[in-house]
Amino acid sequence: MPQITKETVGYIAKLARIACSEEQKEKILHDMKEILSYIELLNEVDTEGVEPCNIVLDCLTQTPLADDVCGPCMPKETFLKLAPDQIAGMVRVPEVLKQG
Amino acid sequence: MSLHTLSMHDITSRFQKGEVSATEIVKHTFARIEKFEPSLDAFLSLCKERALEKAEKLDLKKKQNQPLGRLAAVPIAIKDNINVEGEITTCGSKFLTNFRAPFNATVIDLLEKEDAIIIGKTNCDEFAMGSSTENSAFKKTKNPWKLSCAPGGSSGGSAAAVAARIVPLALGSDTGGSIRQPGSLCGIIGFKPTYGWVSRYGLVAFGSSLDQIGPLTRSVADAALAMEVMGKHDKLDSTSIPKERPPLLSEMKKPVAGMTIGVPWQFLEDLEPEYKKSFEESIKVCKSLGMKVVDVDLSILKYSVAIYYIVATAEASTNLARFDGVRYGVRSKVAKTLDEVYDLSRQDGFGPEVKRRIILGTFVLSSGYQDAYYRKAQKVRSLVIKKYKEAFEKCDLIATPTSPFSAFELGSIKDPLQMYLADIYTIGADLAGLPAMSLPSGFTQDGRPIGLQLTGPQLGEPTVFQGAAAFEDATQFYKKIPELFV
């Protein structure tokens, strides 16, 4: 089993874009260690020459593609009603690039 | 007979004969909600206006002798991770407290086209992650058979609403057992279809290679009727099976004598005595119906929980990346930069179990660990599928208990891993895309329901319903109503 530390949890939480307090990291670390140690069970299974499962359904082995044609999409007003913040008919977010 | 104990078929039939109006049915349903909801906590929101409007339209249609749908005037409830246009879809999460769905899930269109009436949205574990419904950010649903117990989960609100005779049909979603396990704990039918049988369009995604929408009902016939309405190819879901589905209501009446039931006895070794005895009784019933019982080897399923918590969390970590606080949902009020909008909105919006799973899923997909965890799990999953195929060469259906235990006290399972193990018997069908039904098969000494699970091969829906209908007819457990909700 890999050595998981609080720093690993911090790094993974950053990748997952979830801010975590030190206390939350400790709790997650504890749970993760327990779950990962349970998951070790899989190492008992000989998977030499076994392909990873990419397809679940026997009758649908290829993803059908949609026709490449324009169709109706959600009206802008409907979409904007859901946005947490908006300005001049657009979704507003804090500035991304610093001025200057 | 009171309105709330009628089957879906009987409700529609009485309405069509003019014995009861749709408006009366809706009012009766809301009266029961008003009476029982304070002790049950099954609903997150009610669709009163929508329901009364639909009822009035149906009464008018009836008066004008216009053709009526197959589910005319049947009140139904919808798990709160399925979109109903104009209604709030929270997924049991603070993140979506204010999310008013801008479109209907395909299943909602199909049910409403057949004139079903949507009554409300039901409580669930946050983003369907859990086995007790206690992970909802809003309320704790109670089990109608014993109010101090959990209804199971994640479709616990739907199961409780059906068991408490509030609605005859509620939709759930099943990723690792989330329809069947609460069905079992609440003493009703819970059916997870073959992967791709029912469209997932409009279901908020959790584990996309596993998720299926399915019905929770009080009888096998009601589940069959709901499945006939919902089982349609949908081009909006690329994993929807592009084939006609066979009828179920007629198929399920076929005789079962000569059918073979496979039992993976080795896999069931750890079952506690009370549940083992009950399961053996169920197998006796199958034999008395002329079914043949054979032993099948599914010992590979002891790895199912481990596979699931890699595959499902990996898929969840990518699916839930869309909740970023930018386009919809709740945005952190203190975020000053775009990075903070992401990081803080997700910190505030998600509960502990969802965070745990996203982080675990991100970890098993991260550089350096993907081969050891994700690819390994997908390989063992291939073996699970292979073992099921071998088993179905020897039998028509596989019988197991649905859950290793009956309803447990609220708050009694604190360790996440212990809660995950509640799904040990249900996860296999999700991993292999198989149809599986939980149906009532008895009660513990203190009166908590026990469920039997029948699993079929892919597209084996008719066989599952056939076996289930015969078992139900022979046992009649479905007729028992929780005392508080008669």
Side-chain angles (χ1 to χ4, degrees):
Chain A
M1 195 175 110
Q3 283 305 309
I4 311 280
T5 61
K6 213 165 88 178
E7 285 65 44
T8 323
V9 174
Y11 171 66
I12 298 292
K14 210 172 151 190
L15 291 180
R17 313 274 353 194
I18 298 174
C20 279
S21 66
E22 291 305 307
E23 197 187 329
Q24 284 168 328
K25 280 183 207 164
E26 288 285 358
K27 174 86 181 79
I28 290 172
L29 176 65
H30 170 269
D31 294 340
M32 251 179 96
K33 275 187 170 166
E34 196 190 35
I35 297 164
L36 289 174
S37 118
Y38 176 77
I39 285 171
E40 290 291 299
L41 196 63
L42 292 181
N43 291 332
E44 287 175 22
V45 190
D46 180 6
T47 50
E48 190 66 38
V50 178
E51 283 296 312
C53 166
N54 292 319
I55 288 156
V56 180
L57 273 183
D58 286 337
C59 63
L60 195 72
T61 50
Q62 267 187 329
T63 307
L65 297 175
D67 296 333
D68 190 14
V69 289
C70 293
C73 71
M74 191 185 293
K76 188 169 156 186
E77 305 71 51
T78 313
F79 177 79
L80 280 174
K81 256 191 218 164
L82 297 169
D85 195 5
Q86 53 172 294
I87 182 168
M90 291 176 282
V91 174
R92 176 155 70 180
V93 291
E95 72 178 355
V96 181
L97 300 171
K98 292 268 169 260
Q99 284 180 8
Chain B
M1 194 185 253
S2 333
L3 275 177
H4 55 269
T5 55
L6 293 178
S7 70
M8 286 156 60
H9 174 269
D10 287 349
I11 291 173
T12 299
S13 150
R14 285 205 181 184
F15 169 61
Q16 280 173 334
K17 284 184 198 149
E19 292 171 15
V20 62
S21 73
T23 306
E24 279 169 325
I25 293 167
V26 167
K27 284 189 173 159
H28 180 74
T29 306
F30 281 115
R32 273 184 79 77
I33 292 176
E34 203 168 303
K35 185 172 170 195
F36 294 122
E37 183 60 9
S39 56
L40 201 61
D41 282 323
F43 287 88
L44 286 179
S45 56
L46 298 175
C47 313
K48 255 189 179 164
E49 231 172 89
R50 184 192 193 93
L52 283 166
E53 236 172 66
K54 175 84 182 179
E56 276 169 29
K57 266 188 205 159
L58 284 177
D59 286 334
L60 189 66
K61 250 170 122 174
K62 165 84 184 70
K63 209 171 144 191
Q64 295 170 341
N65 282 323
Q66 288 183 46
L68 295 160
R70 296 181 74 193
L71 302 178
V74 174
I76 63 171
I78 310 293
K79 185 178 181 179
D80 207 25
N81 61 351
I82 299 171
N83 284 315
V84 176
E85 189 176 351
E87 307 292 337
I88 300 279
T89 303
T90 68
C91 295
S93 180
K94 255 170 47 184
F95 206 109
L96 294 175
T97 311
N98 58 1
F99 181 77
R100 204 168 278 282
F103 63 93
N104 266 346
T106 298
V107 286
I108 301 301
D109 280 339
L110 291 170
L111 291 164
E112 287 195 323
K113 204 173 128 212
E114 293 297 341
D115 291 332
I117 303 173
I118 295 170
I119 294 296
K121 306 289 299 288
T122 55
N123 196 21
C124 55
D125 285 301
E126 185 174 6
F127 291 105
M129 295 179 186
S131 309
S132 68
T133 311
E134 291 166 295
N135 292 334
S136 163
F138 304 109
K139 50 172 73 167
K140 298 212 186 318
T141 300
K142 282 73 178 183
N143 190 310
W145 296 89
K146 196 176 176 199
L147 295 176
S148 59
C149 286
S154 65
S155 313
S158 285
V162 172
R165 272 59 186 172
I166 288 170
V167 284
L169 166 66
L171 296 193
S173 66
D174 196 310
T175 309
S178 283
I179 293 174
R180 291 159 288 153
Q181 186 257 15
S184 172
L185 270 51
C186 289
I188 55 168
I189 306 286
F191 179 66
K192 181 203 93 78
T194 296
Y195 182 73
W197 190 282
V198 172
S199 168
R200 292 184 289 118
Y201 181 75
L203 166 71
V204 178
F206 162 13
S208 304
S209 77
L210 305 152
D211 296 340
Q212 263 293 284
I213 294 173
L216 288 131
T217 61
R218 298 191 293 254
S219 71
V220 177
D222 278 356
L225 176 55
M227 282 303 298
E228 284 191 359
V229 169
M230 295 194 293
K232 299 272 187 309
H233 174 247
D234 178 17
K235 64 178 190 324
L236 296 174
D237 172 2
S238 65
T239 58
S240 170
I241 300 167
K243 280 184 181 181
E244 275 286 305
R245 279 78 171 147
L248 297 173
L249 280 163
S250 54
E251 287 292 310
M252 66 179 230
K253 288 178 188 142
K254 286 187 177 166
V256 293
M259 192 183 256
T260 307
I261 302 283
V263 181
W265 288 111
Q266 201 194 339
F267 174 55
L268 303 176
E269 263 172 6
D270 298 334
L271 200 57
E272 281 181 34
E274 188 174 20
Y275 302 113
K276 194 161 202 171
K277 198 172 153 237
S278 164
F279 179 67
E280 284 166 353
E281 288 294 324
S282 300
I283 296 301
K284 270 189 208 158
V285 172
C286 294
K287 282 183 182 161
S288 73
L289 290 165
M291 296 177 177
K292 208 175 122 195
V293 178
V294 298
D295 194 359
V296 289
D297 175 21
L298 283 173
S299 43
I300 188 88
L301 290 180
K302 82 168 183 187
Y303 304 108
S304 56
V305 174
I307 303 168
Y308 179 80
Y309 279 93
I310 295 175
V311 174
T313 58
E315 293 183 10
S317 75
T318 50
N319 274 327
L320 271 65
R322 74 193 58 172
F323 300 106
D324 55 8
V326 172
R327 295 153 299 159
Y328 49 82
V330 175
R331 183 184 292 181
S332 163
K333 293 220 165 22
V334 295
K336 292 198 177 60
T337 65
L338 188 61
D339 278 338
E340 282 180 1
V341 168
Y342 302 146
D343 299 349
L344 299 178
S345 301
R346 286 162 73 80
Q347 180 183 36
D348 295 349
F350 293 145
E353 181 60 30
V354 173
K355 284 180 191 160
R356 185 156 43 231
R357 294 203 197 188
I358 291 175
I359 288 175
L360 184 62
T362 307
F363 175 74
V364 298
L365 288 176
S366 66
S367 166
Y369 296 108
Q370 204 182 105
D371 277 355
Y373 290 104
Y374 185 70
R375 276 178 71 85
K376 177 76 183 179
Q378 288 287 44
K379 283 179 182 179
V380 187
R381 186 179 183 184
S382 291
L383 293 176
V384 168
I385 295 174
K386 185 169 165 260
K387 286 287 179 188
Y388 266 119
K389 276 187 188 150
E390 286 170 14
F392 283 119
E393 281 168 16
K394 290 170 69 182
C395 62
D396 302 301
L397 290 173
I398 290 165
T400 60
T402 308
S403 167
F405 36 73
S406 51
F408 46 89
E409 294 288 321
L410 284 158
S412 64
I413 304 183
K414 293 192 174 67
D415 178 41
L417 186 58
Q418 285 314 308
M419 190 67 94
Y420 297 173
L421 290 168
D423 296 331
I424 181 84
Y425 299 136
T426 47
I427 284 175
D430 297 284
L431 292 176
L434 309 173
M437 183 186 289
S438 176
L439 62 164
S441 65
F443 292 88
T444 59
Q445 278 193 334
D446 64 349
R448 287 167 297 143
I450 300 177
L452 171 73
Q453 177 176 244
L454 294 177
T455 305
Q458 283 184 6
L459 310 180
E461 264 76 355
T463 320
V464 174
F465 277 84
Q466 195 186 340
F471 184 88
E472 177 185 75
D473 190 43
T475 55
Q476 307 270 316
F477 288 118
Y478 74 101
K479 285 190 174 161
K480 200 165 170 192
I481 302 176
E483 267 174 29
L484 294 168
F485 300 93
V486 173

